[in-house]
Amino acid sequence: MRAEQLLEDLTKPQREAVTHGDGPLLVLAGAGSGKTRVIARRAAYLAVTAVPARQVLAITFTNKAADEMRQRIVALGVGGGMTIATFHSFCARLLRQYAERVGVTANYSIFDQSDRVRAIKKAIGQCELASEDWKPSQVEGRISHAKNHMQSPEDLAGESVDFADKTVGRIYAEYEQILAANNALDFDDLLVRMAVLLEQDKELRAQLEDRFRYVLIDEYQDTNRAQYLIARRLTEQRRNICATGDPDQSIYGWRGADLSNILEFEADYPDAKVVRLERNYRSTQRILSAAGELIQSNILRKDKTLWTDNPQGSPVQVMTCDDEQDEARQITERIARLRRQGRPLREVAIFYRVNAMTRVLEDALRAGGLPYQMARGVEFYNRKEIKDVLAYLRVMVNPADEIALVRIINTPARGIGKTTVERLGSYARQHDLPLMDVVRQTETLKQLGPASGRVATFGQLLDRLGKLVELKSVRDIVEKALDLTGLERAVLEREGRDSEQARNLAELVSGASEYDVEHLDGSGSLVDWLAMVSLVNDIDKLDENLGAVSLMTLHAAKGLEFDVVFIAGLEEGLLPHVRSRDSQAEMEEERRLCFVGMTRARKSLTLSHALYRSFRGSVLRTVRSPFLDELPSGQVDWVDYSEQGGSRRSARTRLPRWPIGQLMYHPEYGLGRLIRLDRVGGRPLVRVQFNLYGEKSFTADESELKPVELDGDTDP
DNA sequence: ACGCCAGAAGTTTTT
DNA sequence: CTTCTGGCGT
């Protein structure tokens, strides 16, 4: 495509961003302002006017974003040879190439979160700490946090006076040793090591700068310290960095994203050209002004006003419901009505703050006969059947990977239990041998007792698997491994041919097959594919062609758009979440999260809150979210479906006439005495002191609570 | 070595 | 309320 054609249908600011030549460029792109389109055009434009496509590097955060960008650029007819990757996959690839400079070999393993927890558990044990006091998953979080901020174990142990931090520092140091022994890097390392490598290795930096003349970084507001440093160091000489993002959509602060990276871009690069894309092409005026008004309450932000020429649209609605069931029901009814009016369900989404809220929504949708699909974040990465296969392949590629080895040694079950694994482990430690070697020499280890034969068989399996590595086709390797290991058989026997697990395995094979086809020139390898699948998983993506309502967390909603959007649970403690209560910065992040959700909507937006919500078993009175009060009253319709609101007053509001002190029976909690009976917000609330379980609250009409007649039948 | 039951714990998740 | 873990029993 010619350069002029790339500019034809662009607005003036969009065109400025696309045609900007050399030097730093910041594109502040508001929600729905056509950002992806602009970056794709810019990448294409550079490839047409400035340099060969292969000298352009575009970095995104998610695979989905990378895929979308690749598609768009290819559609423009200039994508050949351009590097479009996520931060993680880009770094993983380079680290493989320069492995020896970071102390691993090219076949290194990539540890995901669960591998990390296992390794940290081991580290805690080696530090002779009790895992009751130091919970692996919590320590994992702290170590990840430290890595995200480029802190070494020494930094953590040295800088802090806090005993807990010092201990975490010790575990961290031990964990790093385990990683090294396993020839492994974790997700965070991919970024951290790359940042360090770029700092230390001037020659490599120059080499890469020569290779990538223009660097485009998407979602810059979500970069953490390491990503920021990588971006800077990759563009040190030529300074052809193009950062795009929106400070108002930064929602990953708790994962180490540093909002100041984008806010201070102009301080970092005083000569930066700044382009603001403030025209929204997505939403109605009312949706946009409601969202805009909300975000104005944030103090730490770059002022920006989104505007649109779209129709005014119908008002944003706020629904007040009785409880979460009622809320789910109201949403379902509305969606059912939309469907009758001919709105395709794929254009409808429900967002919520926490995954725990899905259950009631699912129940209501099912009851209403509405098909739905859920986007579940990390769930996919933890699919057992996939991880099992990958663990075998990891061991084949990297025999030092003991985390993977321990995972597969008894998967599928082959009679090698905990005790045997422990014995193998302590033997390895005593003789300072890799676990792999101990497993393979087991004929000499008669002391294993009855398990020795089974370990020997496992060793032979590993031998046979090892030969597969020579095969050219990744598909063949995966298929043969599935067969030899018995994993496929186990899944088919246990779950059946049509089970989700079986389908996932088939999906993995077809993924390998696709990879083969894409690498017919011989450039592919098992190592490479393995790295790719541990970083890229698009099996779980939402299917747009499916006629179903989409359910997802507000975090997962970023980057998507729907005609009709519902956001449930606008309540104090939920949105904003309790965790953010004490910090202004976190509170602002919650507001941005709400803003992100609202700006996903094209035509219709409904926010809801419930007056009561069950939480861990008991019903609690809620307080509506302060965000609701920050919306412009003129643009918003408040609809009160609650009994308190008077629109549906019923017998349910009647207060039972039991005396205080009445003996009560509950099938779950047993006997107790009524200690309070009152009306909270128009709804009868019963409080009972149970003999064994303490105080609990119930709504009189819905609970299974019954008064006990002293001379009557006490059985429920 | 495996399965079951009791007890404890429990926010958000791009990779 | 749920989900997961770890301990105990077979």
Side-chain angles (χ1 to χ4, degrees):
Chain A
M1 201 174 275
R2 294 195 330 274
E4 311 86 75
Q5 282 178 290
L6 290 170
L7 306 175
E8 257 169 15
D9 50 351
L10 297 180
T11 61
K12 190 163 168 278
Q14 287 179 334
R15 197 172 297 200
E16 272 179 65
V18 171
T19 57
H20 171 78
D22 288 358
L25 169 67
L26 174 65
V27 181
L28 290 169
S33 64
K35 178 192 62 169
T36 315
R37 183 164 176 232
V38 169
I39 319 173
R41 292 294 179 94
R42 174 164 172 81
Y45 187 83
L46 289 170
V48 169
T49 63
V51 290
R54 69 181 302 276
Q55 293 184 351
V56 178
L57 168 65
I59 304 183
T60 62
F61 273 77
T62 66
N63 295 301
K64 202 169 157 251
D67 286 344
E68 192 180 334
M69 194 175 306
R70 192 174 298 113
Q71 274 170 27
R72 287 201 188 216
I73 293 172
V74 167
L76 296 170
V78 284
M82 198 179 289
T83 303
I84 304 160
T86 64
F87 261 108
H88 286 85
S89 64
F90 175 70
C91 292
R93 207 175 308 154
L94 281 172
L95 290 171
R96 207 164 288 290
Q97 204 175 334
Y98 302 101
E100 73 289 349
R101 303 193 200 188
V102 290
V104 291
T105 59
N107 56 338
Y108 72 86
S109 292
I110 298 171
F111 277 13
D112 71 7
Q113 193 168 345
S114 65
D115 296 321
R116 238 151 65 157
V117 171
R118 281 161 209 254
I120 285 166
K121 209 169 177 175
K122 196 174 165 192
I124 291 169
Q126 286 175 11
C127 288
E128 293 179 329
L129 296 160
S131 56
E132 301 93 71
D133 304 333
W134 302 94
K135 302 205 63 184
S137 62
Q138 278 175 17
V139 176
E140 191 269 338
R142 299 182 72 155
I143 292 177
S144 179
H145 181 83
K147 286 194 177 185
N148 280 326
H149 294 265
M150 301 284 296
Q151 288 177 309
S152 66
E154 295 73 37
D155 292 337
L156 202 60
E159 280 175 19
S160 50
V161 280
D162 191 57
F163 171 72
D165 279 351
K166 276 207 187 315
T167 313
V168 171
R170 259 175 67 206
I171 301 169
Y172 182 6
E174 191 62 42
Y175 167 66
E176 290 292 288
Q177 281 185 18
I178 293 173
L179 279 173
N182 281 265
N183 188 28
L185 298 176
D186 64 27
F187 278 152
D188 296 328
D189 284 334
L190 296 178
L191 307 175
V192 172
R193 300 298 184 93
M194 192 68 220
V196 172
L197 181 61
L198 284 175
E199 181 187 41
Q200 291 170 347
D201 200 325
K202 251 190 149 142
E203 191 197 320
L204 173 64
R205 200 162 63 213
Q207 219 174 306
L208 289 175
E209 277 207 66
D210 202 48
R211 166 80 162 80
F212 301 112
R213 305 287 174 96
Y214 290 89
V215 178
L216 293 83
I217 298 169
D218 196 15
E219 307 279 17
Y220 196 72
Q221 77 281 358
D222 284 331
T223 49
N224 64 22
R225 183 80 200 148
Q227 287 159 329
Y228 167 82
L229 291 171
I230 292 167
R232 280 215 74 140
R233 287 167 186 167
L234 275 176
T235 55
E236 210 165 74
Q237 296 305 316
R238 289 195 170 76
R239 307 176 86 249
N240 289 331
I241 180 172
C242 165
T244 57
D246 180 2
D248 289 337
Q249 293 185 65
S250 164
I251 54 174
Y252 285 102
W254 51 274
R255 281 216 74 185
D258 187 353
L259 191 49
S260 60
N261 289 346
I262 193 165
L263 292 178
E264 284 160 28
F265 188 88
E266 290 163 83
D268 283 343
Y269 302 97
D271 57 330
K273 160 113 184 157
V274 181
V275 175
R276 289 163 175 267
L277 303 178
E278 299 184 320
R279 174 169 174 190
N280 173 295
Y281 297 91
R282 181 185 297 153
S283 310
T284 64
Q285 287 187 22
R286 277 172 155 150
I287 290 170
L288 204 60
S289 75
E293 185 83 16
L294 173 77
I295 204 67
Q296 291 247 302
S297 298
N298 273 4
I299 296 159
L300 190 75
R301 72 183 284 263
K302 265 182 198 260
D303 197 38
K304 135 162 100 5
T305 313
L306 281 170
W307 62 277
T308 185
D309 268 352
N310 287 346
Q312 178 170 272
S314 45
V316 172
Q317 293 218 338
V318 176
M319 295 199 299
T320 301
C321 309
D322 279 320
D323 53 29
E324 71 269 27
Q325 269 92 14
D326 190 33
E327 180 184 50
R329 222 160 23 229
Q330 295 295 348
I331 292 173
T332 303
E333 272 172 31
R334 281 172 175 240
I335 297 174
R337 204 179 312 145
L338 288 165
R339 174 151 84 162
R340 285 195 295 276
Q341 290 162 4
R343 173 92 53 195
L345 294 185
R346 93 181 95 85
E347 283 307 338
V348 180
I350 310 173
F351 305 151
Y352 37 82
R353 179 64 234 262
V354 296
N355 273 314
M357 290 173 66
T358 55
R359 185 169 225 98
V360 245
L361 290 166
E362 280 185 86
D363 288 347
L365 288 166
R366 226 175 297 123
L370 296 174
Y372 63 89
Q373 58 178 335
M374 259 191 309
R376 305 214 72 167
V378 289
E379 300 277 292
F380 178 80
Y381 306 101
N382 298 323
R383 280 190 196 161
K384 190 182 174 305
E385 66 277 11
I386 300 289
K387 292 208 69 179
D388 288 341
V389 188
L390 296 184
Y392 272 101
L393 299 170
R394 262 163 59 180
V395 171
M396 285 158 60
V397 162
N398 174 22
D401 190 338
E402 293 185 4
I403 298 291
L405 180 58
V406 169
R407 183 187 176 97
I408 59 172
I409 197 163
N410 198 33
T411 310
R414 54 171 68 87
I416 304 176
K418 217 172 163 182
T419 342
T420 311
V421 174
E422 246 151 51
R423 273 188 207 147
L424 290 166
S426 65
Y427 185 94
R429 222 170 309 125
Q430 274 164 29
H431 297 77
D432 201 26
L433 284 168
L435 189 61
M436 184 55 122
D437 292 5
V438 179
V439 171
R440 303 299 269 280
Q441 300 162 4
T442 191
E443 293 88 337
T444 61
L445 292 176
K446 293 289 185 260
Q447 67 239 50
L448 276 180
S452 71
R454 288 174 287 215
V455 175
T457 313
F458 177 63
Q460 285 154 20
L461 171 63
L462 292 177
D463 283 335
R464 258 176 289 147
L465 288 170
K467 294 199 185 86
L468 295 180
V469 182
E470 309 297 320
L471 294 175
K472 283 282 168 288
S473 153
V474 176
R475 184 207 168 113
D476 286 352
I477 299 176
V478 176
E479 274 188 328
K480 290 200 162 68
L482 275 171
D483 178 41
L484 282 176
T485 58
L487 279 174
E488 191 166 38
R489 216 172 319 119
V491 166
L492 292 181
E493 274 167 23
R494 205 178 49 241
E495 313 289 339
R497 188 157 288 281
D498 299 323
S499 65
E500 204 187 322
Q501 283 94 325
R503 279 205 306 277
N504 289 336
L505 290 182
E507 186 88 32
L508 194 69
V509 173
S510 79
S513 187
E514 265 170 49
Y515 177 86
D516 284 342
V517 173
E518 282 159 20
H519 296 83
L520 287 173
D521 55 349
S523 61
S525 71
L526 178 60
V527 187
D528 192 54
W529 180 76
L530 205 46
M532 196 187 85
V533 290
S534 32
L535 297 170
V536 178
N537 267 309
D538 52 350
I539 301 180
D540 223 14
K541 71 184 167 209
L542 292 170
D543 187 350
E544 283 159 27
N545 302 317
L546 205 71
V549 179
S550 297
L551 265 66
M552 67 191 79
T553 62
L554 285 161
H555 283 93
K558 193 165 82 163
L560 304 177
E561 54 181 279
F562 299 88
D563 280 351
V564 181
V565 167
F566 293 87
I567 306 179
L570 273 108
E571 292 147 34
E572 186 80 63
L574 210 48
L575 184 64
H577 198 274
V578 257
R579 260 289 287 255
S580 57
R581 188 166 31 186
D582 306 323
S583 135
Q584 174 69 22
E586 285 176 76
M587 188 65 157
E588 295 204 349
E589 182 155 311
E590 295 290 310
R591 195 177 279 111
R592 290 194 294 269
L593 195 52
C594 190
F595 172 81
V596 166
M598 291 173 77
T599 52
R600 300 307 96 195
R602 292 194 200 100
K603 294 177 180 145
S604 159
L605 173 64
T606 307
L607 312 177
S608 62
H609 72 111
L611 298 176
Y612 295 87
R613 192 174 290 274
S614 344
F615 186 69
R616 291 190 203 167
S618 51
V619 178
L620 298 175
R621 173 85 234 231
T622 66
V623 176
R624 76 166 181 234
S625 170
F627 298 161
L628 290 176
D629 298 306
E630 294 168 7
L631 300 174
S633 46
Q635 311 288 335
V636 176
D637 262 7
W638 289 72
V639 192
D640 195 338
Y641 288 115
S642 74
E643 294 175 356
Q644 173 190 339
S647 59
R648 283 185 312 160
R649 200 165 289 281
S650 75
R652 283 167 58 182
T653 55
R654 245 182 289 143
L655 214 58
R657 260 176 278 169
W658 303 318
I660 300 296
Q662 165 74 42
L663 190 62
M664 305 295 287
Y665 178 82
H666 188 274
E668 184 77 31
Y669 302 112
L671 292 170
R673 290 207 178 267
L674 181 70
I675 54 171
R676 218 167 72 208
L677 191 60
D678 56 6
R679 196 182 287 276
V680 186
R683 148 165 291 228
L685 206 69
V686 182
R687 197 153 179 83
V688 176
Q689 168 78 49
F690 286 101
N691 297 346
L692 298 172
Y693 292 89
E695 281 184 31
K696 302 272 175 197
S697 290
F698 303 88
T699 46
D701 48 293
E702 275 163 14
S703 76
E704 297 169 275
L705 195 69
K706 285 188 174 62
V708 177
E709 306 304 331
L710 281 175
D711 48 351
D713 187 2
T714 54
D715 279 333

